[in-house]
Amino acid sequence: MVPSTPPRGLSRRALLTLLGSAAVSAPLLSACGGNDGGTGGSGSGGGGLSQWFHQYGEDGVEEAVKEWAAAYTATPITVEWVLGDYAPKLQSRLTAGSGVDLFENNAIDVASARAGQYADLTDIMEPVKGQFSETSLKVVTIDGKIYGIPMISDPQLLFYRPSMLAEAGIAEPTTFEELIDAGIELTGGGRKGLWVGNDGGAGVWKGAVAKASGGGLLVDDDTRVGFNTPEVAAALTKAKEAYDQQAVLLGSPTDWWDPTSFNAGLAAITWQGMWAVPAMVEALGDDLAAMPIPGVGASGTPMVGVSGWNMQVAAKASDVEAAKAAAKAQWIDDTDFQTSFSVDFGFHIPPQTSVASATTQLQDGVAKQCVDAATQYGYAVGPFWTPAMETAYNDAAVKIISSGADAASTLAAAAQTAQQTLDTLVQ
């Protein structure tokens, strides 16, 4: 978990999840607050719309969204720049049914959708959904309805120092097993082979190997928990080898989402978000490359975790149709704004594929490696994967990797707990 006040530059990723709306492996819930969000909507006093954003760490984001709102002439928009605990403040407003009209969210959930808290945006998304990446649509779709417009996509994958691998005579790993072996071999001389989180890798590996083994966290159209397999058990047991041989970096002042320790040469390979590419390139120059998590075993498939933010409309907005029109104008029609929002402040992929392909900053180098890997191997689990399921699986992965628990029986128990939760959601 990230601290309650994240370091500068993290906030854009705060609340993002490793693989989608609820997987708690990425830098979770640093959220937003300060200005309590005001009253917004019909309570703002001007009869216009209230649009909520969490506090971003990058300079210029607040000014950019407020400038866009000021230039939008169809309906007055008041931007509420929410500091502190964004998620609970937002949920409070949605539950109350007042005070917010448009809002960004990275945790669209089934219960809120079915409780009628989100406006259905299928009518404005259906004509253009072919323009959006599959992973970005996965996290906004519930029961066949689309409840959000994807704003940014954040790939999370492996980055490594080619010079360190070359010096050790190690080629880029092509399987997960080779990756762990490489991490062990690259350890020495004050350097660890792998940096995958201060928990030793449980939070990162669990979601990665579920997908890289050919399945997923959820399978069979999100009706069945998919991590309880012999392949996942074997992969987590393999990951324990790196932990046992002290090949993973532990005790870093910040967790994996901040590249400082990697940039300082404390690890040869790290799991990291594309958001850190500018800082890594500035520090390392050409000695940087990106790759997906390689497949587990000979029949596995590479994977890249993709999370993101989405713009939604409150079902009880002061003017639902006006709010939907504003959301469409900003996140479907205004491609120049979308490009700027993705690369002028932080570093992300615009979810509309045509916008991404026209974004100059993403067309070469490590940035292009990230985009290509996310396009080919991107994975998002979606809103049916809940925090309760995440906790059950994460606890199991920690027990296996750091405590040596039997993988098969530990995963079976966690899967039973997670499936019970999932069964309450499946209709």
Side-chain angles (χ1 to χ4, degrees), residues 199-391:
D199 64 353
V204 168
W205 294 141
K206 68 181 191 300
V209 299
K211 177 59 178 175
S213 61
L217 292 170
L218 299 178
V219 295
D220 297 344
D221 296 327
D222 293 345
T223 62
R224 184 170 61 84
V225 171
F227 61 77
N228 183 23
T229 69
E231 292 79 13
V232 171
L236 292 178
T237 301
K238 182 69 178 179
K240 178 173 168 48
E241 293 182 19
Y243 184 89
D244 287 346
Q245 297 194 40
Q246 299 182 12
V248 293
L249 179 64
L250 300 174
S252 174
T254 56
D255 218 324
W256 63 265
W257 35 259
D258 184 319
T260 303
S261 294
F262 178 69
N263 291 348
L266 299 183
I269 303 172
T270 187
W271 170 268
Q272 181 55 265
M274 181 177 149
W275 56 73
V277 163
M280 290 190 292
V281 170
E282 182 178 0
L284 305 174
D286 293 335
D287 191 20
L288 179 69
M291 63 175 285
I293 291 279
V296 172
S299 61
T301 57
M303 71 81 65
V304 173
V306 182
S307 53
W309 285 93
N310 312 282
M311 185 57 59
Q312 293 188 264
V313 171
K316 295 182 180 179
S318 57
D319 188 332
V320 171
E321 293 307 314
K324 289 170 64 173
K328 178 179 181 295
Q330 191 172 42
W331 298 107
I332 295 176
D333 301 335
D334 194 341
T335 56
D336 288 342
F337 177 77
Q338 294 157 33
T339 301
S340 178
F341 194 84
S342 286
V343 297
D344 286 346
F345 311 108
F347 203 66
H348 318 275
I349 301 177
Q352 289 199 64
T353 54
S354 61
V355 180
S357 64
T359 301
T360 304
Q361 295 91 326
L362 304 180
Q363 302 312 307
D364 54 28
V366 176
K368 186 175 189 300
Q369 292 175 12
C370 293
V371 174
D372 290 347
T375 300
Q376 187 170 3
Y377 302 118
Y379 173 65
V381 65
F384 282 83
W385 179 257
T386 71
M389 299 177 203
E390 170 69 19
T391 297

Side-chain angles (χ1 to χ4, degrees), residues 199-203 206 233 236-237 239-241 243-244 390-415 417:
D199 64 353
K206 68 181 191 300
L236 292 178
T237 301
K240 178 173 168 48
E241 293 182 19
Y243 184 89
D244 287 346
E390 170 69 19
T391 297
Y393 186 26
N394 190 73
D395 289 349
V398 169
K399 291 176 183 177
I400 294 166
I401 292 175
S402 63
S403 301
D406 175 72
S409 60
T410 304
L411 289 178
T417 298

Side-chain angles (χ1 to χ4, degrees), residues 114-199:
R114 291 177 177 168
Q117 294 180 356
Y118 308 148
D120 183 359
L121 305 185
T122 306
D123 58 336
I124 61 175
M125 282 295 294
E126 188 67 34
V128 298
K129 70 178 185 180
Q131 301 173 22
F132 286 83
S133 66
E134 182 178 346
T135 51
S136 70
L137 291 174
K138 174 74 172 178
V139 298
V140 299
T141 304
I142 298 172
D143 300 334
K145 297 179 181 179
I146 301 175
Y147 288 101
I149 305 174
M151 297 165 52
I152 55 174
S153 291
D154 272 321
Q156 292 137 58
L157 60 168
L158 294 173
F159 293 85
Y160 65 92
R161 301 279 297 274
S163 65
M164 293 181 177
L165 271 67
E167 182 181 352
I170 297 174
E172 181 179 291
T174 58
T175 67
F176 182 77
E177 295 76 11
E178 288 180 2
L179 172 66
I180 298 300
D181 289 340
I184 293 171
E185 189 172 349
L186 287 162
T187 298
R191 178 189 71 202
K192 300 297 185 180
L194 296 164
W195 185 25
V196 285
N198 285 334
D199 64 353

